[in-house]
Amino acid sequence: MLTQIIAHRGSKGTRPENTLPSFQAALQDGADGIETDVHLSKDGHLIIIHDEKVDRTTNGKGRIMDLTLAELKRLDAGATFDPVYAGTRIPTLDEVVQLLVKAKFTGIFNLELKTNKIHYDGIEALVADYFNHHPVPFKLVYSSFYPKSIERLHALQPDAEFDSLFETKFKTAKRLHAEHVIIGYHPDIRWVRRHWLLLPKVQLRPWTVNTERDMRFCYRHRFAGLITDYPGLAHRLRVKMQGG
């Protein structure tokens, strides 16, 4: 089995993260999967962006939860990365899904619920309702640093795949795995390197794997996948090491 390449916020290293150009580039680079993040706007729309605030990645300021969709759509999400991408907008979940459907994408769509800092009321139900009403050709994988979001979504969509994100502690991840709520771990690659011999035999997709050294480590040990900002580089290296 080939180690799957999951594009972190799209091709984050080469395009404005979590934007349609970033996801399009990831598909062109040969990514097997897309990883992205979802928040909830003031007026209840599912918004694709990483941070709780727009300050870092756009020309605006403020929290996602305090801004409406119309206000978010007026922001420039590309110019801070490179003036070439000026005018790029923050996408909604539906816009990203429709891009993937149009591209006939059949890989992994790893949606992280960003609820570990702000517990958006009802976001799990909104996400589940969206996918229950929008059949997709790709494999849906949910993850979160907030275990309750995983448990709530599991109750709503028991047939989806769930994986646990963590940086250094994985007691909760072990419990959820034992309870058959999750089937894999998405740990920090630095943590994986320190604890390699102690890791349980579960599906591993470490993040964020950006150096050739770390990519080679993942390919050599045949991890289920790796999450990277540079899917193009990861794909070229996988061809050399795993033949595909």
Side-chain angles (χ1 to χ4, degrees):
M1 292 288 292
L2 296 176
T3 297
Q4 296 167 321
I5 298 166
I6 314 298
H8 185 230
R9 307 179 208 169
S11 185
K12 177 179 176 289
T14 66
R15 302 291 191 280
E17 65 178 70
N18 275 335
T19 63
L20 297 184
S22 187
F23 299 128
Q24 185 65 57
L27 297 179
Q28 293 169 349
D29 285 341
D32 304 294
I34 299 291
E35 186 275 345
T36 190
D37 316 276
V38 65
H39 293 259
L40 200 60
S41 69
K42 182 179 180 180
D43 49 349
H45 290 273
L46 295 165
I47 305 298
I48 298 298
I49 191 170
H50 179 267
D51 299 358
E52 286 72 23
K53 295 182 177 181
V54 300
D55 302 40
R56 179 178 63 86
T57 57
T58 79
N59 61 340
K61 292 185 179 299
R63 298 185 300 178
I64 306 298
M65 66 180 297
D66 297 327
L67 298 168
T68 65
L69 177 61
E71 290 169 330
L72 290 165
K73 282 295 187 182
R74 286 197 288 269
L75 302 178
D76 189 319
T80 55
F81 180 86
D82 190 309
V84 171
Y85 298 102
T88 302
R89 302 303 171 193
I90 299 172
T92 62
L93 173 63
D94 183 61
E95 288 171 328
V96 175
V97 168
Q98 294 311 315
L99 171 72
L100 299 180
V101 170
K102 186 176 180 180
K104 296 181 171 58
F105 176 67
T106 57
I108 292 171
F109 183 61
N110 179 189
L111 186 65
E112 178 185 345
L113 275 70
K114 299 295 289 186
T115 47
N116 55 312
K117 294 181 181 179
I118 297 175
H119 305 325
Y120 298 104
D121 186 32
I123 190 173
E124 296 89 358
L126 285 171
V127 169
D129 184 69
Y130 175 83
F131 284 106
N132 284 335
H133 288 87
H134 295 80
V136 292
F138 47 78
K139 181 179 181 180
L140 186 60
V141 176
Y142 291 120
S143 59
S144 181
F145 284 104
Y146 185 53
K148 287 187 178 179
S149 279
I150 293 294
E151 292 169 332
R152 289 167 185 164
L153 263 175
H154 186 262
L156 295 166
Q157 285 186 283
D159 294 332
E161 179 181 322
F162 297 86
D163 294 303
S164 183
L165 284 160
F166 63 91
E167 295 182 61
T168 55
K169 298 179 180 179
F170 69 112
K171 184 182 294 185
T172 301
K174 287 176 65 177
R175 176 180 65 79
L176 292 174
H177 185 262
E179 294 173 357
H180 306 290
V181 173
I182 64 171
I183 67 169
Y185 295 165
H186 290 190
D188 188 322
I189 184 62
R190 295 168 297 182
W191 188 93
V192 173
R193 280 188 167 279
R194 289 196 301 270
H195 299 84
W196 168 236
L197 296 177
L198 303 176
L199 285 175
K201 299 301 181 183
V202 298
Q203 178 174 272
L204 287 176
R205 297 188 186 110
W207 58 271
T208 306
V209 183
N210 285 342
T211 67
E212 284 199 24
R213 176 175 175 269
D214 283 341
M215 289 176 186
R216 290 180 183 279
F217 175 81
C218 294
Y219 292 144
R220 189 164 59 250
H221 292 292
R222 294 274 173 172
F223 288 168
L226 59 83
I227 301 172
T228 179
D229 295 343
Y230 299 95
L233 172 62
H235 188 269
R236 291 190 294 273
L237 193 57
R238 186 178 70 181
V239 170
K240 293 180 181 179
M241 293 189 66
Q242 295 186 346

